[in-house]
Amino acid sequence: MNYLVGLLSVVFFILAITVISKSLKLNKNLSGENESDSALDSHNNTNAVGFLLFWLFGTIAGVWSFLHSQPDFLPEAASAHGVKTDSMFWISMAVVTFAFFITNSLLFFFAFQYRNDKNRKATFYPVNHKLEIIWTIIPAIVMAILVFTGWRTWRDITSQAPSNAVVIEVTGHQFGWYVRYAGNDDSQLGNINYKLIDETNSLGLDFTDKNSFDDFTASELHLPKGVPVLLKIRAQDVLHSVYLPFQRVKMDAVPGMPTKFWFTPTISTDEMRAKLGKKDFNFKLNCTEICGRGHFGMAITVFVDEPADYKKWVMEQKPFLTMNPAYLSKVPENLKAKASKYIPAEPIAADSTAREAVSVK
């Protein structure tokens, strides 16, 4: 790559010198110091051939750059909708690249074919309505097809999640992510209220809602392979963005405006490790919205488990209320009997270190 950059630098330097030289000669012509017709023809021929050579080497460099960069492309999509979006992307790229190649090939060919010739007279051709209609309608149809395809794909991935979807909440904050799972009993996330946030209850879990009793948090994201997952996305301070590159998931986390994204993971962590040949590989959830000085480190590990392994991991987790029994006092009297079953017989350390320890597999 360094050799290519060096070569291109030399080429552009030579072109710059050539352009300056031409400018000086043009200035002489404007001041009345005309060159001979044979010299002008020689310059025109040189420029015309230069256009063709630039087209040829530019095409070769473009193809080489694409092939050379392939190892750095993302591997196959690890989600069902990712296959569709990848297909849509490459079809769009093929159409745009084809149009770019044809139009620029014609541009350089015309510069060569119709260079100045004193024996040829230009034809005045002011308008051709039929031609204008053709080159307007065809691109319009192609663009409409591409836009409709993209809209349909976006509609599908932002539609209502299937009824059997696993619901997980991801909340961005400077500079990290809180991950909350619906518990093992009701599979529903309880309400949250920012007014209830304190040193321990970082999300503001509302224990007046019985669905909050079995919710638990973790410092990593676990996803079941082959099962729809609905991510409910929030932000506590500034704009963040949830990004799962291998699953082709990206959605902004907007303060005061919850967003969502549902998808179906299709490749487990172990399978991706085998595909990439990297035993220590892990999926990541990153923030792709510059949200402050700590933005670069705003990532958590993502594990895509086989359904049985995911269920086993979920069963091992302890509800937030179990880890912090003092919050039983926040539960209304009519719900305390239901909440009491989550309170352990023996006290469990409620500090943040203990909570993190039981949250990590």
Side-chain angles (χ1 to χ4, degrees):
M1 180 60 74
N2 291 332
Y3 293 112
L4 177 62
V5 172
L7 177 61
L8 289 176
S9 300
V10 172
V11 170
F12 283 118
F13 177 76
I14 294 173
L15 289 175
I17 297 298
T18 303
V19 169
I20 294 172
S21 175
K22 296 295 181 184
S23 299
L24 293 174
K25 290 181 180 179
L26 178 61
N27 186 53
K28 287 183 179 180
N29 291 339
L30 292 174
S31 19
E33 304 175 15
N34 294 325
E35 292 184 284
S36 65
D37 290 341
S38 60
L40 288 174
D41 288 341
S42 175
H43 293 327
N44 287 328
N45 291 332
T46 300
N47 287 336
V49 172
F51 269 104
L52 283 187
L53 290 177
F54 186 86
W55 169 84
L56 176 63
F57 289 117
T59 301
I60 293 173
V63 173
W64 175 86
S65 177
F66 177 83
L67 297 176
H68 181 74
S69 301
Q70 279 188 315
D72 297 321
F73 292 172
L74 286 175
E76 65 177 293
S79 67
H81 84 273
V83 175
K84 296 179 181 178
T85 54
D86 280 5
S87 175
M88 181 187 67
F89 171 80
W90 287 115
I91 290 173
S92 299
M93 285 295 296
V95 171
V96 172
T97 302
F98 175 77
F100 176 84
F101 178 77
I102 294 299
T103 54
N104 282 274
S105 295
L106 290 174
L107 174 66
F108 286 107
F109 172 75
F110 271 65
F112 171 81
Q113 181 66 25
Y114 299 105
R115 62 192 181 277
N116 181 63
D117 185 345
K118 63 182 179 180
N119 298 319
R120 181 169 54 211
K121 185 177 181 180
T123 301
F124 184 63
Y125 195 69
V127 66
N128 186 321
H129 294 301
K130 183 182 293 185
L131 185 60
E132 291 177 359
I133 290 174
I134 290 174
W135 73 36
T136 300
I137 290 180
I138 292 178
I141 292 174
V142 173
M143 287 300 297
I145 293 173
L146 293 178
V147 170
F148 175 75
T149 304
W151 169 81
R152 186 176 60 181
T153 303
W154 180 251
R155 177 202 63 189
D156 292 343
I157 62 180
T158 56
S159 61
Q160 188 69 27
S163 58
N164 65 329
V166 173
V167 182
I168 302 174
E169 182 185 77
V170 178
T171 302
H173 65 96
Q174 292 178 310
F175 296 98
W177 299 99
Y178 297 127
V179 184
R180 182 167 64 117
Y181 298 79
N184 295 301
D185 295 337
D186 56 22
S187 299
Q188 295 184 50
L189 290 171
N191 294 331
I192 61 173
N193 187 336
Y194 74 92
K195 295 180 180 179
L196 300 176
I197 293 176
D198 57 34
E199 292 183 357
T200 304
N201 189 4
S202 302
L203 287 170
L205 271 67
D206 183 0
F207 291 104
T208 63
D209 179 7
K210 63 181 180 181
N211 292 328
S212 299
F213 297 164
D214 62 343
D215 290 356
F216 65 89
T217 61
S219 58
E220 57 196 25
L221 181 61
H222 280 257
L223 306 171
K225 173 188 168 184
V227 179
V229 175
L230 172 61
L231 287 186
K232 291 190 172 182
I233 301 168
R234 297 176 181 270
Q236 285 190 343
D237 34 48
V238 299
L239 192 66
H240 301 284
S241 188
V242 170
Y243 182 45
L244 298 167
F246 287 84
Q247 286 75 27
R248 310 299 197 263
V249 172
K250 187 179 185 300
M251 179 62 72
D252 284 350
V254 185
M257 189 180 78
T259 55
K260 64 178 182 177
F261 198 112
W262 80 268
F263 62 102
T264 303
T266 55
I267 301 177
S268 70
T269 298
D270 290 338
E271 289 172 337
M272 187 58 76
R273 287 173 178 171
K275 287 177 180 290
L276 299 177
K278 299 178 180 178
K279 294 181 179 180
D280 57 347
F281 168 83
N282 283 314
F283 295 117
K284 290 290 184 180
L285 186 157
N286 302 94
C287 176
T288 53
E289 198 75 38
I290 299 178
C291 55
R293 296 179 63 183
H295 162 74
F296 69 94
M298 195 168 164
I300 58 173
T301 303
V302 178
F303 294 98
V304 179
D305 304 320
E306 295 294 338
D309 294 332
Y310 174 79
K311 186 176 181 180
K312 180 176 180 293
W313 178 82
V314 168
M315 295 298 295
E316 292 172 350
Q317 306 310 303
K318 304 296 184 183
F320 179 89
L321 190 58
T322 301
M323 302 304 301
N324 301 276
Y327 282 86
L328 182 62
S329 62
K330 306 290 185 181
V331 178
E333 289 298 328
N334 63 321
L335 294 176
K336 273 195 169 130
K338 183 177 179 63
S340 295
K341 75 173 187 176
Y342 298 100
I343 305 302
E346 298 181 2
I348 298 178
D351 61 273
S352 59
T353 303
R355 292 200 317 275
E356 290 294 326
V358 298
S359 298
V360 179
K361 182 178 178 181

